[in-house]
Every structure is written in structure tokens, then in C-alpha cells.
Amino acid sequence: MTISADHPAPDQAQRLPAEDAVSEAVRKFGITVEDYMLPARHQIQMVDPDGRLMAESEQGTEPGHEYPLPGDEELMAAYEQLVVGRRVNDQNSALVRQGRMAVYPSSHGQEACQVAAALCLSDGDWLFPTYRDAVAVMARGVDPVETMTIFRGDWHSGYDPARHKVGIQCTPLTTQLLHGVGVAHAAKLRGEDTVVLAMCGDGATSEGDFHEALNFAAVFHLPVVFFVQNNKYAISVPLAHQSVAPSLAHKAVGYGMAGERVDGNDVVALLAVLDRAVKLAREGSGPLLVEAHTYRMQAHTNADDATRYRQDSEVAEWLAKDPISRMKTYLTGRGLLDDDGAARIAEKAEAVASQLRDGLGEDVPVDPQELFRHVFSVPTPQLKEQSAMLADELSREASSEESPK
């Protein structure tokens, strides 16, 4: 972080409110500052892979790291989004094979992280996703076809970020964290009640932008929740070749913020942890880092061969931890989900898949002049010249096609 004369470093008076807020959180939980910032010794997990609600003594909680069970309505909404998200992931993979999408980074197996990230936010909050977080974007309320427009190879994102308060999905790694911190800083300066949730993967934690974003957020005490989906691989590079820290959540204390790690395939625990993180950020406790342990069941993208760097046995191990079957068993056991309810949700998921097939199957009119139209508000002489050359070439081609053979 660079401090200029126009943007001075916070003086002692400016730092005190942040320090007081952290101290207040510590006092409220009755623990030390170190225990507040460090993650619990074991990851937070509420529902085991068999769909059984675990005893509180088994959930990994400690003083200052306790989490109440989310409400039934929130859990049912999450399950519906899980089923829709899985169907969308599989449908999009098929659309890529059919040539109707250029590329798709599937989040099959990570849907619990996607859904919880969207559901923990209020309407006025912002979500900054990665390129793999299309399910989170949809769960935030963005139209499915608009969400997938970017993966068709179109020149724009497909949706209005300001309207939905969702940053544009983009390929550059970790830049969205800086964008999220910028929005949070602006919101704080304006006195707005806004929390930003910025998503990234484990590979992003190796980037310099990760350090800059967390450091800036901590120094200026911004309401940001950094959500790391640790799916074990940065494309083909395993986490062990990126970091030897006890966990990625432990990185939080180095910046002066609280960290937590959670089972990323347990949507119940995810909602509990992220709900509290957003609440603390909104109350003025500063930024927080949450690491979710999950797994990318499919290849990085359709251009990747995952069999070259991981074993089938590893994939099978994580298949048994599937977030959807776990949640379905849990909700059924509690009497919250029956066959009719499951059928209704499955029908909705099929409707979304059909919407994607129809929407992405339509031919999009192409205007080559758009190459030049949105580069500068006032086109440069070079752009005008190139635009005229293209227009002339297209005109000559059209005349040639119309001429009798």
C-alpha cells in the first residue's frame, strides 16, 4: 500500500476507533486478541458427510468462535440454490461440448460455498466473485443467461454490476479483491451501511494483490469479508507447493484481522460462519478472512486434463463429502424436506437449465464496429481510421456477395 501526500496514513486519532472496535469484540467474546484473530483449532463443521447434525463438542467451536444454527427458512433456500447450482454446472459443461459456450470453469462440488456467499449478504451489500463463481452470481439474483454471457465469449459481462451489486467475473487472478476493497473504502467514506464479500481461491493467496487487498482493508478498517475457497489446486499446483502455513485462515492474524476455517461442503456451517463474519464487519469490527475447505470435482476448465495431476482415489474421497446429498439427508431427517418439496426444487432446476439452453442457443447479432465504439469516449484519430477501413472492407464484401455470379 502506497501512502501519498494527498492520501496520508491514518494518524493516532484515526486508528483508535478501529482498535476500540477490535477490543470491543474481544471483550464481548471474553477472549484474548490472539484468540479472536486466530482461527479455531479445528475447522467449523456442523453437519457431517452422512447428513448428521454433530454435537456441539464436535463442531470445532471454542470460546469466541461459537456459531448458532441457521434458521430453517435460510437452510431451505440454501438447499434449493444448491440443487439449481449443480444442475447449472452440469448443463453448462454440456453447452461447452456443444460449442454454445467458449469455456466454463465448473464449480461442481463447491456449490455450498457459492450459495452461502450469496445468501449471507443483504440487498445493499456487494459480492465480488471469481471466474468460477457463476453459481454465486446467480444466487445473488442475476439472470442465468446474463450470468453466462461472458462465457459465451461476448465482449461484456452480461449484467449490470451496479444494479445487482455484483462485480464482473473476470479471468485475471485476485484483481477482484482490490476492487472489493475499493468499494468498501468508498462506502465507508460515504457513511453507507455496506459490507463487501470478496471471493478467491487458494491460488489467489499466492498473488501480491492478495497481500495488498488484505493489508489495505486492515489498515483502513474496512467492512470486507475475504472468502477463500480452498479447493486444493491452483489449476495443477497443489496447495502444499503454495503455502506451508497451518492454514490459509492463519494468514489473517498477520494483517491484524480475525480468521476462521470451515468445512466448505457443509452449507449449514458455511452459513453460520459467513453470517457472523458479515455481522461483525457491519458492526465495525473490521475485515475478516474465512477459509473454506472444499474440492473441485471436475477439471479446472474444459481445456484442462485433471487426470495429469491428481488421482481418481482423491476425487472419490471427496465425492463422499458431496454438499448436496449431505444437505438433503439432513433436511429430510428433520422433516423440512419431503418428496414433493424435492420434486419441486428439481423442477425449478430443470427450468433454469432449459432457460440456459434456449438463451445461449440464440444467435447474437454481431456488429464489428463495437470493436472501436467503447475504447474511448472520444475516439482517437487512429481508431477512426481503423473503423473506416473496416467499414470499407465490410461494404466491399457485401457488394461482392450481392453481385451476380
Side-chain angles (χ1 to χ4, degrees), residues 244-255:
V244 293
S247 76
L248 296 177
H250 278 79
K251 292 180 179 287
V253 69
Y255 298 101

Side-chain angles (χ1 to χ4, degrees), residues 49 265 295 297 311-322:
N265 286 21
Y295 195 77
M297 296 300 298
Q311 302 297 316
D312 290 344
S313 58
E314 180 179 286
V315 179
E317 177 186 346
W318 280 90
L319 184 62
K321 303 175 183 179
D322 185 80

Side-chain angles (χ1 to χ4, degrees), residues 9-301:
D11 58 21
Q12 185 64 20
Q14 290 174 307
R15 285 196 299 267
L16 281 176
E19 295 172 357
D20 287 348
V22 172
S23 298
E24 178 59 32
V26 170
R27 285 194 295 270
K28 180 170 61 176
F29 294 128
I31 55 179
T32 66
V33 173
E34 290 79 8
D35 285 339
Y36 170 72
M37 292 184 178
L38 286 169
R41 291 173 179 80
H42 304 282
Q43 71 170 356
I44 306 302
Q45 184 184 68
M46 293 185 166
V47 175
D48 68 16
D50 294 326
R52 177 184 65 90
L53 180 64
M54 303 169 67
E56 288 188 16
S57 60
E58 300 175 331
Q59 293 179 8
T61 61
E62 297 174 358
H65 297 263
E66 300 98 344
Y67 297 95
L69 194 69
D72 294 349
E73 185 175 340
E74 186 178 20
L75 294 177
M76 287 299 297
Y79 178 71
E80 180 173 300
Q81 292 294 343
L82 283 176
V83 175
V84 171
R86 175 63 56 82
R87 185 66 186 90
V88 165
N89 273 322
D90 294 345
Q91 179 63 75
N92 285 346
S93 296
L95 290 171
V96 170
R97 293 192 295 271
Q98 295 166 10
R100 290 195 268 176
M101 292 178 70
V103 67
Y104 184 66
S106 175
S107 61
H108 186 118
Q110 296 182 215
E111 291 93 351
C113 294
Q114 306 276 298
V115 169
L119 295 186
C120 72
L121 298 174
S122 299
D123 290 342
D125 297 333
W126 272 83
L127 176 73
F128 280 85
T130 74
Y131 52 80
R132 196 178 301 283
D133 298 328
V135 171
V137 174
M138 283 178 44
R140 186 74 172 138
V142 180
D143 177 84
V145 176
E146 290 184 358
T147 300
M148 306 309 163
T149 293
I150 193 170
F151 301 111
R152 185 165 53 187
D154 213 327
W155 61 267
H156 63 90
S157 69
Y159 58 87
D160 181 358
R163 174 189 171 195
H164 298 284
K165 291 185 169 51
V166 177
I168 296 173
Q169 291 183 267
C170 55
T171 301
L173 202 61
T174 326
T175 54
Q176 73 278 359
L177 300 190
L178 296 172
H179 302 159
V181 167
V183 166
H185 193 202
K188 183 177 180 179
L189 292 174
R190 289 195 290 256
E192 297 172 354
D193 182 25
T194 299
V195 173
V196 171
L197 189 142
M199 306 175 73
C200 69
D202 50 287
T205 65
S206 299
E207 296 287 325
D209 286 354
F210 178 83
H211 162 77
E212 294 169 9
L214 269 68
N215 196 56
F216 190 97
V219 169
F220 288 92
H221 202 67
L222 303 179
V224 183
V225 176
F226 296 99
F227 184 37
V228 181
Q229 296 176 82
N230 178 1
N231 65 14
K232 316 309 175 195
Y233 291 94
I235 305 183
S236 59
V237 180
L239 181 63
H241 292 172
Q242 299 179 67
S243 174
V244 293
S247 76
L248 296 177
H250 278 79
K251 292 180 179 287
V253 69
Y255 298 101
M257 66 178 72
E260 194 68 280
R261 49 186 169 174
V262 58
D263 182 347
N265 286 21
D266 178 2
V267 73
V268 179
L270 281 163
L271 287 170
V273 170
L274 289 175
D275 282 347
R276 191 187 82 150
V278 169
K279 179 176 182 290
L280 288 173
R282 199 183 311 280
E283 291 174 348
S285 295
L288 301 97
L289 173 65
V290 175
E291 175 193 6
H293 291 267
T294 184
Y295 195 77
R296 166 171 54 80
M297 296 300 298
Q298 298 178 346
H300 179 71
T301 69

